[in-house]
Amino acid sequence: MNTSTATPSTASVDPRQFKSFAEFYPFYLTEHANRTCRRLHFAGSTLSLACLVMLVLTLHPLWLLAGLLVGYGFAWAGHFGFEKNKPASFKRPLYSFMGDWAMYRDIWLGRVKI
């Protein structure tokens, strides 16, 4: 799925209205129309996975904190700096977290362009 264009009406959509992740995910993708935002999400998710590997290898709990900081830091920089919207994680944290990883998968599969 190519998300290079935003739907203008998404600014007024409340992410809490969705009853399932399947309903939420198309909205999630419209909130990531900016290519730089998607690239920052991808970088943050990749670095988070690297931190998870380090956590498993070292058992040092600071890697968990580092993973959260880089993952959300890169994503929020993309939203506030490039997408010019608020992350859906503020209103739908679980669905947003799931959306991050679904989009990450879809980028790898070529369904979402970066």
Side-chain angles (χ1 to χ4, degrees):
M1 169 177 263
N2 187 342
T3 60
S4 59
T5 59
T7 306
S9 62
T10 60
S12 62
V13 175
D14 184 349
R16 293 174 290 201
Q17 76 184 18
F18 300 106
K19 304 285 187 249
S20 70
F21 179 72
E23 291 177 14
F24 175 82
Y25 188 54
F27 164 76
Y28 177 89
L29 291 175
T30 65
E31 294 290 291
H32 297 82
N34 181 279
R35 189 175 198 173
T36 303
C37 181
R38 290 191 308 272
R39 287 177 174 177
L40 286 168
H41 270 70
F42 186 81
S45 295
T46 301
L47 290 170
S48 289
L49 288 175
C51 289
L52 180 62
V53 168
M54 291 304 296
L55 173 65
V56 170
L57 292 176
T58 66
L59 299 177
H60 198 291
L62 283 180
W63 284 111
L64 177 61
L65 178 61
L68 290 170
L69 289 175
V70 296
Y72 283 106
F74 274 70
W76 290 355
H79 283 286
F80 294 122
F82 298 94
E83 196 71 57
K84 306 294 186 205
N85 64 13
K86 290 183 185 174
S89 60
F90 292 167
K91 292 187 177 182
R92 272 325 270 264
L94 179 59
Y95 279 178
S96 180
F97 182 77
M98 292 166 61
D100 289 341
W101 293 108
M103 186 171 71
Y104 188 76
R105 174 205 61 213
D106 288 345
I107 289 170
W108 275 110
L109 295 176
R111 296 177 189 158
V112 173
K113 304 294 181 211
I114 60 168

